[in-house]
Amino acid sequence: MQILSRISVSLSHTSSSSTALLFSKSLRPNFFHHPKNSFTYPIHPNRRRALFSSSPSMESAAVTVDSVADKLKKQSLGNDGSNSKRMLKLEELNWDHSFVRELPADPRTDTIPREVLHACYTKMLPSVEVENPQLVVWSESVAELLELDPKEFERPDFPLLFSGASPLVGAVPYAQNYGGHQFGMWAGQLGDGRAITLGEVLNSKSERWELQLKGAGKTPYSRFADGLAVLRSSIREFLCSEAMHSLGIPTTRALCLVMTGKDVSRDMFYDGNPKDEPGAIVCRVAESFLRFGSYQLHAFRGKEDLEIVRTLADYTIRHHFPHLENMSKSESISFSTGEEDDSVVDLTSNKYAGNILVFLKWIVYACAESVLLFYAELGVAKESDAWAVEVAERTASTIARWQGVGFTHGVMNTDNMSVLGLTIDYGPFGFLDAFDPSFTPNTTDLPGRRYCFANQPDIGLWNVAQFATTLSTAQLLNDKEANYAMERYGIKFMDDYQAIMTKKLGLVKYNKHMIGELLKNMAVDKVDYTNFFRLLSNIKADPTIPDNQLLIPLKAALLDIGQERKEAWTSWVKSYIQELSTSGVSDDERKASMNSVNPKYILRNYLCQSAIDAAEQEDFGEIRRLLKVMQRPFDEQPGMEKYARLPPAWAYRPGVGMLSCSS
């Protein structure tokens, strides 16, 4: 069965339907069935959307991307607000190695490129060569997650330990085995070709954090590559990991960046002219680096490897979705697919598929004849959707947040999709400067622009479909359960994206036409995405403002537009002010609210390049300043205004705005 055959997705940022994700009506659940009582409860029309969207009751009961992002953001500040816990030396970190302990291993430990069969990982030591390695930059907020004493960064042996040149006490290094679809085509085995995981650290809250060195040397998954990384790409990954976290977007983190002191040869433009660049290693940190491709590889290999899919799924749920381990089966709830056979999907019998416990709320109505009518209304009581649904929803919510800040990942292959809904693998990423829905920062993606900004929600769904197909192949889901997970992706994306855009405009309710017209105007005039929304908060909700003064607050964003375009913008601003004037929200209150979701500072490519240029001359001051600015993206930060400027002319030269996948 073609899982996507019943689903239609469209998202265009240049039309009034810019936020529409349209799914086949026949796929939407029409009824919930309660077998214990052997009759069907129709969903009341006014409750249907609430039940199948991010309602407050569901979000309070479910583990969502919102709660994960909030949790991650708070962790950098300390959840309990205290600084009383004892900070640890590197030798005191509490290592745990659940991945190595509980999953099948490669019996070999050599780095010869090969197919690694029937295994989730290969044990191996970092092999990168170093010469007087230097610590370039570090994140104290990530050290806080690990409860690592910041003074440890001052250790003379720290660069040796986090380049992999010296072993870290307690670590059990390995490279993960996975596959994936690349640009829509199955690529077979891929794996960690230049990343080596050191292990998992448990902090005093029993939070699990995996530490990984990217650029630490060859592995069996390196194919014909050298397993190394350059300073240029390492700075970009370090800064963007921390910038995205500060924007409130789920992401992998970065503890530190070390320059190896050895050069690495790279042909940046694939033009036959390689050059030597400084080598570097980033220590990445995440709850897990499991990807969609981690499961896909074993499903594609079939036969006995299908059991590995189940083992890996059980491992993931046990350690990263523990709330699904104790699913209550006291109530069996299912929904009708609306198909001719009137078949149902049981949401509580399969932890891989979905779990929603419901309660009945009886409502009494009095009709004109004073006859009392009763019907059952459904609401979410407790527990989250199960694994496939939660993975789909986390993915949807993260991508909605990307769209909100203008982030383009650039290479959304299934091996770059985190099963935890994290933004992972920062390669040729880019934030929008001028608003262009077809923007891609990846030179490899230029011919078809598969991974351009506007396509990201659709690609997210396609990737979720591949993940669901994997679970179906391993008989963890049936087709109807897989379809339901994909439908939840669409609904979650719509709900989150619309909520984000509503907040960005300071509206009290979603206005599809107004937002669609705005995006159309922005695309026509190539308006800077970040600066425009920041300036928009300066608009006053005063319908008496003369037409010739309406665009003054937006003057810095509306550059070089002619009379016809001024009229188009004036018309839009007038309708926007009219909408604001009926909201009952004061200008000051709205401005503060809008500025809390519209960043002033984003990690523009030219800012990265400036930091890279300085670091390549062993001046690390700029990267450290840039990190501090990006840690407070919503604050005004007086004196830092230069970091909010539009890109200079030199920023459009090759190698600054666009990169290749392997950079």
Side-chain angles (χ1 to χ4, degrees), residues 178-196:
Y178 52 82
H181 283 85
Q182 298 194 324
F183 295 90
M185 303 295 293
W186 176 245
Q189 177 181 292
L190 297 168
D192 285 334
R194 57 176 173 175
I196 295 179

Side-chain angles (χ1 to χ4, degrees), residues 126-172:
S127 59
V128 62
E129 295 182 1
V130 303
E131 185 176 316
N132 298 319
Q134 298 181 69
L135 178 60
V136 175
V137 66
W138 60 92
S139 171
E140 292 194 3
S141 68
V142 177
E144 174 76 14
L145 298 180
L146 306 175
E147 296 170 354
L148 179 65
D149 191 332
K151 293 180 180 178
E152 292 295 279
F153 292 115
E154 302 171 9
R155 289 173 54 152
D157 62 344
F158 190 93
L160 287 168
L161 293 168
F162 282 89
S163 66
S166 294
L168 197 58
V169 174
V172 178

Side-chain angles (χ1 to χ4, degrees), residues 357-424:
L357 296 184
V358 299
F359 64 89
L360 300 179
K361 184 197 296 181
W362 292 95
I363 301 178
V364 181
Y365 281 87
C367 68
E369 294 78 18
S370 299
V371 177
L372 296 181
L373 302 177
F374 297 83
Y375 69 89
E377 181 173 305
L378 293 172
V380 176
K382 196 172 177 170
E383 296 283 356
S384 70
D385 294 349
W387 190 45
V389 172
E390 189 164 334
V391 170
E393 290 191 338
R394 287 192 186 194
T395 302
S397 191
T398 294
I399 294 174
R401 292 177 185 224
W402 292 357
Q403 303 303 107
V405 298
F407 174 79
T408 309
H409 185 280
V411 58
M412 291 175 64
N413 298 328
T414 57
D415 58 298
N416 295 334
M417 299 295 293
S418 163
V419 76
L420 301 184
L422 306 175
T423 311
I424 191 172

Side-chain angles (χ1 to χ4, degrees), residues 249-409:
I249 298 172
T251 177
T252 59
R253 304 292 303 279
L255 175 66
C256 62
L257 189 163
V258 171
M259 197 156 70
T260 64
K262 303 284 282 188
D263 284 342
V264 175
S265 180
R266 286 289 181 268
D267 185 356
M268 187 195 308
F269 303 113
Y270 295 102
D271 59 0
N273 295 302
K275 72 169 188 174
D276 288 342
E277 300 185 49
I281 293 175
V282 174
C283 179
R284 307 197 296 184
V285 178
E287 299 100 311
S288 173
F289 286 94
L290 283 166
R291 305 124 187 285
F292 289 7
S294 303
Y295 310 84
Q296 284 184 284
L297 178 64
H298 306 295
F300 265 85
R301 287 175 169 170
K303 297 181 181 178
E304 64 262 40
D305 281 17
L306 292 179
E307 186 57 34
I308 296 179
V309 179
R310 180 180 291 272
T311 300
L312 191 54
D314 287 341
Y315 166 85
T316 307
I317 292 171
R318 182 163 58 253
H319 289 288
H320 303 292
F321 298 80
H323 50 286
L324 302 180
E325 274 283 276
N326 301 315
M327 282 178 21
S328 168
K329 295 184 180 179
S330 60
E331 300 287 343
S332 179
I333 306 300
S334 56
F335 71 85
S336 168
T337 63
E339 298 187 25
E340 292 180 2
D341 61 358
D342 197 32
S343 55
V344 300
V345 175
D346 187 346
L347 295 175
T348 51
S349 64
N350 184 357
K351 70 178 177 180
Y352 307 106
N355 176 48
I356 305 176
L357 296 184
V358 299
F359 64 89
L360 300 179
K361 184 197 296 181
W362 292 95
I363 301 178
V364 181
Y365 281 87
C367 68
E369 294 78 18
S370 299
V371 177
L372 296 181
L373 302 177
F374 297 83
Y375 69 89
E377 181 173 305
L378 293 172
V380 176
K382 196 172 177 170
E383 296 283 356
S384 70
D385 294 349
W387 190 45
V389 172
E390 189 164 334
V391 170
E393 290 191 338
R394 287 192 186 194
T395 302
S397 191
T398 294
I399 294 174
R401 292 177 185 224
W402 292 357
Q403 303 303 107
V405 298
F407 174 79
T408 309
H409 185 280

Side-chain angles (χ1 to χ4, degrees), residues 11-19 403 435-437 453 497 501 504-505 510 512-526 529 532-533 569 572:
L11 184 136
S12 168
H13 286 275
T14 59
S15 70
S16 60
S17 60
S18 60
T19 58
Q403 303 303 107
F435 180 64
D436 177 5
F453 177 74
Y497 181 74
M501 296 307 293
K504 286 180 75 69
L505 270 71
Y510 180 68
K512 176 181 176 179
H513 177 74
M514 178 169 290
I515 293 172
E517 286 299 304
L518 171 61
L519 295 177
K520 184 192 299 183
N521 285 332
M522 292 178 71
V524 169
D525 294 309
K526 305 297 182 186
Y529 191 78
F532 176 85
F533 280 108
W569 277 105
W572 184 86

Side-chain angles (χ1 to χ4, degrees), residues 491-554:
I491 294 171
K492 182 63 173 172
F493 177 83
M494 281 193 294
D495 287 346
D496 282 19
Y497 181 74
Q498 290 178 4
I500 288 167
M501 296 307 293
T502 299
K503 291 175 182 177
K504 286 180 75 69
L505 270 71
L507 304 176
V508 294
K509 61 181 179 180
Y510 180 68
N511 188 320
K512 176 181 176 179
H513 177 74
M514 178 169 290
I515 293 172
E517 286 299 304
L518 171 61
L519 295 177
K520 184 192 299 183
N521 285 332
M522 292 178 71
V524 169
D525 294 309
K526 305 297 182 186
V527 175
D528 186 84
Y529 191 78
T530 300
N531 288 357
F532 176 85
F533 280 108
R534 189 72 176 192
L535 290 170
L536 191 62
S537 66
N538 295 324
I539 296 284
K540 306 296 184 184
D542 181 2
T544 67
I545 297 174
D547 286 5
N548 62 359
Q549 297 179 24
L550 289 174
L551 302 185
I552 292 176
L554 304 176

Side-chain angles (χ1 to χ4, degrees), residues 199-221:
E200 307 143 39
V201 170
L202 292 176
N203 64 18
S204 62
K205 306 186 194 87
S206 297
E207 294 165 343
R208 184 177 301 273
W209 297 101
E210 183 177 328
L211 275 62
Q212 185 183 86
L213 300 182
K214 184 173 182 179
K218 287 186 177 181
T219 77
Y221 315 107

